[in-house]
Amino acid sequence: VENTRKILHAVDYIYAELMETKHLRVLVKPDATVISFTSDDFDIYILSQLMAKKGWNLNILQFPPSLHICVTLVHTPDVSRSFITDMRICISQIMEDSTIKAEGVYGIYGSSQGIPDRSLIKEIGYEYLVAYYS
């Protein structure tokens, strides 16, 4: 019960901080421990890419392009503050440098959303994996 309380406190903290973070939009108030967010100002996959370089693992979503974090006991409490600090640093970097582009898997997610024939995605993914591992 104590661990659950700590996790939910971390969720509340991260949610509140993301709501106050300029250039981010939280998609829905979390009912449990998953917080999803996007940006109307920049490519959200670039944020995931920069956060990954700092050691954070955010889950990539499509339709709309977005990310989510699954808050666990690991995120309580100092880690939550570090997460928000790193997030804001990365957002500032994105807003200051328009030359940063999504690369690798982040670029693939972004570009695959623009393909109108969704049946092609499986074939493209297969060819990517063959080329990558060849």
Side-chain angles (χ1 to χ4, degrees), residues 11 18 26 35 47-48 56 59 90 100 104 134:
V11 169
L18 290 178
V26 177
I35 306 170
L47 178 60
S48 184
W56 298 103
N59 301 90
C90 289
I100 303 172
S134 293

Side-chain angles (χ1 to χ4, degrees), residues 9-80:
H9 178 73
V11 169
D12 290 344
Y13 171 78
I14 292 171
Y15 171 73
E17 291 297 315
L18 290 178
M19 290 292 291
E20 296 297 320
T21 300
K22 197 172 180 184
H23 307 293
L24 278 188
R25 179 169 49 92
V26 177
L27 294 175
V28 64
K29 187 173 194 294
D31 288 330
T33 62
V34 175
I35 306 170
S36 56
F37 51 94
T38 190
S39 176
D40 298 322
D41 300 329
F42 61 84
D43 181 345
I44 196 70
Y45 301 132
I46 296 171
L47 178 60
S48 184
Q49 176 177 287
L50 294 178
M51 289 293 283
K53 290 178 182 176
K54 291 184 172 290
W56 298 103
N57 183 16
L58 298 172
N59 301 90
I60 302 171
L61 305 170
Q62 291 182 317
F63 307 111
S66 51
L67 306 173
H68 80 252
I69 181 172
C70 300
V71 182
T72 66
L73 192 58
V74 167
H75 297 100
T76 64
D78 293 335
V79 174
S80 294

